[in-house]
Amino acid sequence: MIELETGHEVELEYGGRAEITGIIGKGIHDIVYIASYNGSQWALKWYDIEKLDDPEKMLSNLKENIADGAPNNKFMWPKYMTKKYSDGSFGFLMEMKPESFEYLSDILKGYKIVNEHETGRANKKNVKFSSLFSMTTAALNIVNAFRKLHSAGKTYQYLDDGGFFINADTGAILVGGCDHIVKEGTAKPLVGGMPGYMAPELVKGEACPDMKTDRYTLAASLFKLLFRGDPLEGKKVVNDVCLEKEEILRHYGKDAVFVYDPQDDSNRPVRGIHDSVMKFWETYPDYVKEIFTRAFTEGLNDPEKRVDESDWQTVLVRLRAETIRCPMCGRTNFAHFFEKADHKTYKCPNCREEIPTLEMSHRKWKTPIFKGAKLYECDVYSDSTDFLTVVGEVVENKLRSGYYGIKNCSDRKWKAKMKDGIFHDIDPGKGFPIWEGLEIDFGEVKAKM
Ligand SMILES: [Zn+2]
């Protein structure tokens, strides 16, 4: 009993009815409907219990997750259980995905199919990040979702490219597939997961999903997002004409090889098939390639050596800070594509505009400073991991164009060295000019030009 008709009313566990008003999509073991409940629209996930391994366990896990609540408001968490039907069927209500969020799978493809309401015609619509900045922010948000989940003592059993919804303009994310989240240590071996997202030991059936297998899934998701391809799909895999169970077991389990493994070139990307991966591999700075190489060589078969959330965050925060938008001509690219005027100044290869940097006492790399650049809490307070809260912004002087300053958007007092050689207090909401002798005292972290 999986097909529910429009108009059908499903009884909820604690009273009330949700009326089916439409359909969102079909999954492997479920259909997701649109349902009207208490005057608003919800998504109703309704299981095909025949296809569930252990419906009773699924049900009790869902109830437990509902009782525990979501790790934060980025998770599209189960909210209300339905009553169980006499044949054992059940489902739950969760919030609807907002229109402004795209499926990760559509972002990876670069387009989505939209059905026009009036004509019913299907149209292809591009789905693209509006900037490098929003892409890096989405990657940071995915890392953070795993961090929140793990600190709540939970893990995924199963994740695929339907697992994330992304706002391509802002990089905000929502986590879907939350019915596959369980308490760490309680997951059973995985049946029928998506190979590209599964750790090799899961593909081989040698382990149960846990935080370490999640870290593989995290690395694979980030690789797909940044490189638009699969980290294990290269020459070796495409040479196999069909990917049946045995080949999948080999390429994603027993004999998995990273496409850019420095010690083993047997699985390099193939021109004409993996062009995105090849192009992006040339685009990212070395520190990004290094962390992915570590994730998919040492971390491939050794769960203890997987890259953890804080290491990903360190690298992605740097990548975001080192994405420069030239204030003169608007050229936007990673810092290593800009020329160097000297060891601490970038120069736009297009218009020759010079872009200064700030040297932060807790970092080995220098932060480019250009109009619109933002400083986040984790950039200026060494005890913070908050990569979203803006505490400073580079702004242009309202009275003198071409003159820039930094505005203190935080709630703490800073000190900055002005041209008189003296440190002045910079209260929240106030700013100070950028000049070649600038020094800033953020508290524990100091910065200088
Ligand atoms: Zn320029």
Side-chain angles (χ1 to χ4, degrees):
M1 165 59 188
I2 169 114
E3 305 277 347
L4 302 176
E5 284 177 7
T6 302
H8 182 89
E9 290 190 339
V10 181
E11 273 188 83
L12 297 178
E13 191 184 26
Y14 295 119
R17 288 158 180 274
E19 185 190 340
I20 306 293
T21 58
I23 186 164
I24 297 173
K26 293 186 182 187
I28 300 169
H29 16 59
D30 52 78
I31 299 183
V32 181
Y33 296 96
I34 306 171
S36 163
Y37 170 63
N38 263 353
S40 41
Q41 282 203 326
W42 295 78
L44 171 76
K45 192 169 209 175
W46 189 251
Y47 293 101
D48 187 347
I49 50 162
E50 311 263 298
K51 295 200 180 128
L52 290 177
D53 275 351
D54 186 345
E56 282 309 312
K57 186 163 184 238
M58 184 65 149
L59 185 62
S60 64
N61 184 59
L62 280 167
K63 288 184 175 177
E64 193 177 304
N65 276 346
I66 290 177
D68 291 347
N72 69 11
N73 63 1
K74 308 291 183 258
F75 289 80
M76 295 174 72
W77 204 251
K79 280 275 166 65
Y80 306 109
M81 289 306 300
T82 69
K83 273 192 176 155
K84 207 153 107 177
Y85 274 39
S86 53
D87 68 351
S89 300
F90 60 89
F92 66 87
L93 292 185
M94 59 184 163
E95 277 170 30
M96 295 270 291
K97 173 185 87 67
E99 283 276 332
S100 55
F101 283 72
E102 313 287 356
Y103 287 92
L104 174 62
S105 51
D106 290 339
I107 287 190
L108 298 181
K109 279 196 312 236
Y111 66 87
K112 62 179 174 184
I113 302 295
V114 185
N115 287 313
E116 273 180 37
H117 281 304
E118 284 163 20
T119 60
R121 207 179 298 146
N123 279 327
K124 214 169 161 179
K125 200 173 161 222
N126 287 343
V127 179
K128 274 206 305 209
F129 282 109
S130 60
S131 64
L132 286 173
F133 174 83
S134 53
M135 186 193 68
T136 320
T137 303
L140 274 165
N141 277 318
I142 288 176
V143 173
N144 198 44
F146 276 86
R147 184 203 292 274
K148 293 284 179 208
L149 186 69
H150 290 170
S151 53
K154 302 205 173 189
T155 121
Y156 282 104
Q157 302 174 85
Y158 175 90
L159 192 76
D160 57 25
D161 53 13
F164 293 107
F165 307 107
I166 298 175
N167 182 314
D169 290 326
T170 64
I173 71 152
L174 289 170
V175 184
C178 295
D179 50 334
H180 298 298
I181 288 171
V182 295
K183 246 195 203 125
E184 168 80 344
T186 65
K188 296 205 298 188
L190 200 55
V191 187
M194 204 167 176
Y197 289 85
M198 288 160 74
E201 65 269 28
L202 291 181
V203 177
K204 287 185 277 187
E206 289 172 356
C208 294
D210 61 10
M211 289 185 194
K212 288 170 196 138
T213 63
D214 267 1
R215 293 207 168 109
Y216 180 85
T217 306
L218 172 59
S221 305
L222 294 174
F223 188 89
K224 285 165 193 278
L225 190 70
L226 266 61
F227 294 89
R228 305 297 152 83
D230 187 302
L232 304 180
E233 192 201 299
K235 194 164 60 182
K236 199 164 72 70
V237 181
V238 293
N239 283 347
D240 262 324
V241 188
C242 54
L243 280 187
E244 296 293 339
K245 227 175 176 178
E246 198 183 308
E247 287 79 23
I248 287 175
L249 180 61
R250 195 163 69 234
H251 297 309
Y252 292 95
K254 281 192 274 191
D255 189 19
V257 176
F258 178 44
V259 290
Y260 283 110
D261 187 328
Q263 313 294 333
D264 180 349
D265 64 2
S266 65
N267 197 27
R268 287 285 184 266
V270 178
R271 198 166 292 284
I273 301 176
H274 308 117
D275 292 343
S276 297
V277 174
M278 294 170 89
K279 182 181 91 185
F280 288 120
W281 193 254
E282 295 303 316
T283 305
Y284 287 103
D286 288 343
Y287 59 87
V288 171
K289 291 190 263 195
E290 277 158 19
I291 195 167
F292 278 105
T293 302
R294 175 151 73 89
F296 295 113
T297 54
E298 289 170 44
L300 182 63
N301 293 308
D302 185 348
E304 301 298 332
K305 291 196 171 158
R306 300 226 160 106
V307 177
D308 67 17
E309 291 89 315
S310 64
D311 284 355
W312 283 118
Q313 180 164 323
T314 302
V315 162
L316 290 166
V317 159
R318 178 174 177 183
L319 184 66
R320 179 177 64 178
E322 290 192 336
T323 305
I324 300 176
R325 184 174 193 279
C326 173
M328 279 310 270
C329 71
R331 184 192 184 93
T332 305
N333 216 334
F334 299 129
H336 69 121
F337 286 110
F338 282 70
E339 293 167 16
K340 283 286 188 75
D342 56 49
H343 72 285
K344 54 179 189 177
T345 314
Y346 289 101
K347 189 190 262 183
C348 177
N350 193 34
C351 74
R352 321 308 293 164
E353 172 77 358
E354 292 194 352
I355 291 133
T357 58
L358 266 184
E359 195 181 323
M360 304 277 193
S361 56
H362 65 318
R363 284 186 174 152
K364 292 200 180 89
W365 48 276
K366 298 182 176 70
T367 306
I369 292 297
F370 51 93
K371 186 184 171 185
K374 293 179 174 64
L375 296 172
Y376 297 86
E377 231 185 71
C378 65
D379 291 324
V380 304
Y381 305 130
S382 55
D383 58 349
S384 173
T385 58
D386 182 344
F387 61 91
L388 281 175
T389 304
V390 175
V391 294
E393 186 172 356
V394 179
V395 290
E396 191 166 9
N397 189 310
K398 280 186 191 128
L399 305 172
R400 298 169 75 189
S401 72
Y403 286 82
Y404 299 102
I406 296 176
K407 187 179 171 189
N408 178 359
C409 316
S410 79
D411 51 13
R412 301 191 205 182
K413 187 185 280 186
W414 299 345
K415 287 175 191 296
K417 191 171 158 186
M418 304 289 200
K419 286 186 180 164
D420 59 8
I422 297 168
F423 277 91
H424 293 257
D425 284 349
I426 311 294
D427 287 324
K430 299 288 184 221
F432 52 91
I434 293 171
W435 62 290
E436 55 191 24
L438 174 64
E439 290 179 41
I440 313 164
D441 182 349
F442 292 109
E444 219 168 288
V445 173
K446 322 282 182 216
K448 62 176 192 205
M449 292 294 283

